[in-house]
Amino acid sequence: MVGVVIGFLALGVGIFLLFRGGGSTTQPTTSQGRLGRTLAALGRRGLGIVLAAVGLFLLASTSFVYVDPDGVGHLKRIYAFEELPRGRIVALEGEKGPQADILGPGFHFIPFVRVLYDYEEFEVLTVPEGYYGQIKANDGLPMPSGMYIAPSFPDDKTEGMLDAKTFLTSGGFKGPQETVLKPGRYRLNRYLFDVRVTEETEATIIPKGFVGVVKSNVAAPGVDCREEEVSATDATRGALTVPLVPRGCVGIWKEPLLPGAYYLNRQAYEVTLVDVRVQTWEYKGGYVKRIIDLSVDQEGNIQQVERQVTEAIPPNAADKAVFVKVEGWDIPLELRALVQVSPDHAPIVVGSVGGLEEIENRILTPAIRSIVRNVAGSTVRVPIKEDGGAVALPIEYEVRPTRVLDLIENREALEETIEAKIKVEGDKAGVDIREIRLGEPAIPPELLVSRLRVQLADQLSKAYDRETAAQQKRIETEQARSTANEQPRLVQAQIAVKVANQREQEREALGRAERKFLEELAKGQMAQANVLGQDRVALLQALDKVLGSLERKPELVQIVGKLVPNTVVGNSSGLAGAAAIFGSNFGQATREIPTGAGGR
């Protein structure tokens, strides 16, 4: 302010001296000094020029501002003839107070801007990725009754409505705005708009496998908002019914949001994520299981030992196992349910109880426990079996009271019955029950020990049979190995057998020939006996044998000659003498047989 006053004074005096002053006739003396000599040299007009220049410089220095590239200049007028209208915060026509116009980067020349205004610079507003800017307008029209947040700007007018003058002159409402600033950089009038970017203004991310159910607190203009009662099933009795509205209306939207990123103002919209993937609910643990272990000692005797195991509830289990009463026994029964919420039913689930977890805890888990107890403890539909245990043909079914062992032997029949009943309850709640599977029941071991002993005995029998077969196989293997090792001897033996067979055949042939010869010989001897007589034939046979012996061993002739007297005179051989001796027995004369030239 002081600079402005000095500038005006200097400018005024300078102009006065410039137009009113003339040349000086006084000569400066040595005692006036350098300044005096300079002023005397310039004269009044020169002094006026200098003062006017100084005044202009001082006034010009108060008439411009410079805005940084990343800044936004804001002006707040101090001196003006008009006051702001009552209830207004931002001036449109140059009234006192914050101005609607903002200054962009660079130099700006505004007469006496440093005098008439307070200048303030703000940084460019930056909205990071994954967030939105929540807007609150400090000025504008008052909101109508029943409206707590201003409706969103049309998409084609959003950029214009962020200009302060346009907002204030086009019907913008004071207070929180439904419109949000998406990620980016914005030059806004901070006197008019307050923008909040915090962890609470994160974008709504709907991941894969989920949908977003929207509960809206605002209505878009021009939308026919008719509320409709919607249920998940056609069954009217017991089914959850929820009032739903079209998108853009106040209430729960009938159409959920699909996976993606949405910049929804959380003051206006509440989004509930619903998992539409197949989920597993397990009911297990929470009981003490009794077990009888069977073992076989070295002598082959079956022994049994009882023990107990505490089954804890897993952290991710929906609930503990279901206790069913069958034939007077309390049996913990574990089960697994596969469930899924379709996207179309997600608004019903949220509108009825709040979410899938509430459906599980408040509706389906109690229903599952009740149905399992009722089914397992009442009757079961099973095929009729023959006395041997095989299913009778043609297959026929009977309904009879449930037995404890049905939890093992007829588990599928129980699962089908339980699943059919639970699906009805799930449909009423908007949840699709895909599958029910019963786990291994903790049957009292007293009911199973006899069966286990039979099974163990069967296993032992099979083990013995297999061991016997293995030993037999080993014997066959050893025999094959020994046979292979003795193969050369076996070949020789086989050859020997063949030779023996051949010799046997040869001997049979020789025997037949000898028999034939003997038969013919006998016939000749018989004919000879008929001619000579039986005694003489025998004598001839004996003589033949003796002669044969003497022929093979001639040395016997000399011995015979010494023992028998000579009845033959002359030079005769021993054989001739012997013949003569035998011939005398037949009463015949013995003739001398000559042996050489000198014989007689």
Side-chain angles (χ1 to χ4, degrees):
M1 187 65 181
V2 175
V4 174
V5 174
I6 296 174
F8 272 112
L9 289 176
L11 182 60
V13 172
I15 293 174
F16 177 78
L17 293 176
L18 182 62
F19 290 100
R20 300 281 296 182
S24 177
T25 57
T26 306
Q27 295 295 327
T29 63
T30 58
S31 63
Q32 289 179 329
R34 182 179 298 176
L35 179 60
R37 291 194 298 270
T38 302
L39 292 176
L42 290 174
R44 290 182 179 179
R45 291 190 177 184
L47 181 59
I49 293 173
V50 172
L51 291 176
V54 172
L56 289 174
F57 175 76
L58 292 175
L59 293 176
S61 65
T62 62
S63 299
F64 72 89
V65 292
Y66 173 77
V67 182
D68 290 335
D70 292 330
V72 182
H74 290 65
L75 300 175
K76 185 182 294 183
R77 188 150 187 173
I78 302 173
Y79 303 102
F81 295 103
E82 295 183 6
E83 300 287 340
L84 274 173
R86 182 174 301 214
R88 298 299 297 270
I89 302 297
V90 179
L92 291 173
E93 303 296 337
E95 301 93 345
K96 290 181 180 179
Q99 302 298 300
D101 292 326
I102 57 176
L103 303 178
F107 285 95
H108 297 270
F109 180 80
I110 301 173
F112 309 117
V113 64
R114 296 286 186 176
V115 178
L116 301 178
Y117 300 89
D118 277 344
Y119 173 74
E120 190 174 6
E121 186 172 320
F122 294 91
E123 291 184 358
V124 173
L125 177 65
T126 300
V127 179
E129 288 290 336
Y131 292 83
Y132 66 85
Q134 194 173 73
I135 304 173
K136 178 183 177 183
N138 298 319
D139 201 351
L141 297 177
M143 287 189 189
S145 177
M147 180 185 296
Y148 84 99
I149 189 170
S152 62
F153 311 142
D155 292 338
D156 57 343
K157 296 182 179 180
T158 299
E159 185 175 355
M161 291 297 288
L162 294 178
D163 178 73
K165 276 190 174 182
T166 304
F167 180 86
L168 295 173
T169 58
S170 300
F173 292 104
K174 181 189 300 185
Q177 307 293 309
E178 180 185 347
T179 299
V180 297
L181 299 179
K182 297 179 181 180
R185 292 166 61 85
Y186 298 88
R187 297 182 183 276
L188 301 179
N189 190 320
R190 298 296 187 88
Y191 294 148
L192 175 61
F193 298 113
D194 286 337
V195 180
R196 185 169 68 97
V197 179
T198 64
E199 293 182 356
E200 297 179 357
T201 62
E202 284 185 301
T204 300
I205 305 297
I206 301 178
K208 292 182 180 180
F210 290 78
V211 295
V213 177
V214 180
K215 180 181 179 182
S216 175
N217 300 318
V218 296
V223 180
D224 184 11
C225 295
R226 293 184 181 181
E227 194 173 76
E228 180 182 358
E229 295 289 334
V230 181
S231 62
T233 179
D234 296 335
T236 57
R237 184 177 179 181
L240 298 179
T241 303
V242 179
L244 302 179
V245 298
R247 178 176 290 195
C249 299
V250 177
I252 298 177
W253 290 357
K254 185 177 180 180
E255 182 181 352
L257 300 178
L258 300 179
Y262 298 87
Y263 297 99
L264 298 177
N265 193 326
R266 296 188 180 181
Q267 287 185 313
Y269 304 99
E270 179 183 347
V271 180
T272 302
L273 295 181
V274 178
D275 194 340
V276 294
R277 299 171 297 180
V278 176
Q279 303 200 21
T280 301
W281 295 350
E282 289 186 326
Y283 299 83
K284 62 188 305 183
Y287 60 92
V288 177
K289 185 176 182 180
R290 296 172 52 238
I291 303 173
I292 292 181
D293 295 323
L294 299 182
S295 60
V296 181
D297 58 17
Q298 295 181 352
E299 298 178 356
N301 299 320
I302 298 177
Q303 299 179 347
Q304 61 185 45
V305 178
E306 181 176 342
R307 59 187 176 90
Q308 294 183 349
V309 177
T310 301
E311 299 288 347
I313 302 176
N316 57 348
D319 202 356
K320 64 181 180 180
V322 181
F323 280 80
V324 298
K325 184 174 285 293
V326 184
E327 294 183 318
W329 296 91
D330 288 326
I331 301 174
L333 182 60
E334 297 182 348
L335 63 95
R336 183 183 73 251
L338 298 183
V339 303
Q340 185 179 24
V341 178
S342 68
D344 294 338
H345 291 166
I348 300 174
V349 172
V350 174
S352 60
V353 293
L356 185 58
E357 185 176 355
E358 288 76 11
I359 287 284
E360 175 188 345
N361 296 331
R362 294 167 53 183
I363 297 179
L364 289 184
T365 291
I368 289 174
R369 302 183 73 86
S370 176
I371 290 172
V372 171
R373 284 195 296 264
N374 293 338
V375 172
S378 58
T379 59
V380 62
R381 181 175 178 269
V382 296
I384 299 176
K385 296 182 179 180
E386 298 177 349
D387 295 337
V391 177
L393 297 176
I395 299 177
E396 296 181 356
Y397 293 88
E398 65 174 344
V399 178
R400 58 169 174 76
T402 306
R403 303 167 186 165
V404 173
L405 294 182
D406 286 333
L407 299 177
I408 299 176
E409 297 174 348
N410 296 302
R411 185 181 305 174
E412 293 184 0
L414 293 174
E415 288 175 344
E416 291 177 359
T417 305
I418 293 172
E419 183 176 320
K421 293 180 177 294
I422 292 179
K423 278 189 173 182
V424 175
E425 299 300 322
D427 291 340
K428 293 179 181 179
V431 178
D432 182 19
I433 306 297
R434 306 295 296 272
E435 182 182 84
I436 295 293
R437 287 292 178 264
L438 300 180
E440 192 68 26
I443 294 178
E446 294 84 355
L447 302 178
L448 297 176
V449 65
S450 59
R451 173 179 294 190
L452 294 176
R453 293 179 71 92
V454 171
Q455 292 177 352
L456 184 57
D458 292 341
Q459 293 296 327
L460 289 175
S461 178
K462 291 180 180 179
Y464 295 152
D465 292 342
R466 290 189 178 182
E467 184 176 354
T468 301
Q471 293 293 341
Q472 183 65 32
K473 190 68 176 178
R474 187 179 66 82
I475 293 173
E476 293 176 357
T477 303
E478 292 295 334
Q479 289 178 348
R481 184 182 295 111
S482 299
T483 301
N485 294 335
E486 298 295 330
Q487 191 65 28
R489 297 181 183 179
L490 288 176
V491 173
Q492 294 178 359
Q494 291 175 354
I495 295 175
V497 169
K498 291 182 179 180
V499 171
N501 291 334
Q502 187 67 28
R503 288 179 179 176
E504 181 179 359
Q505 293 176 1
E506 181 182 359
R507 289 174 180 176
E508 288 179 357
L510 292 175
R512 287 193 299 270
E514 183 70 19
R515 184 178 62 185
K516 187 68 176 175
F517 170 75
L518 293 176
E519 289 176 354
E520 294 297 328
L521 181 62
K523 289 179 181 180
Q525 290 177 353
M526 182 64 68
Q528 188 179 17
N530 292 332
V531 176
L532 299 178
Q534 189 70 28
D535 295 338
R536 287 183 172 82
V537 170
L539 182 61
L540 288 174
Q541 290 178 351
L543 178 61
D544 182 64
K545 290 181 179 180
V546 170
L547 293 176
S549 299
L550 294 175
E551 186 177 2
R552 289 192 300 272
K553 295 182 179 182
E555 62 272 13
L556 295 176
V557 176
Q558 300 297 331
I559 299 173
V560 172
K562 293 179 179 181
L563 295 176
V564 179
N566 292 329
T567 59
V568 179
V569 179
N571 188 12
S572 301
S573 64
L575 290 176
I581 293 171
F582 283 98
S584 62
N585 294 326
F586 292 99
Q588 295 178 355
T590 301
R591 296 175 61 189
E592 181 183 357
I593 300 173
T595 59
R600 297 180 180 180

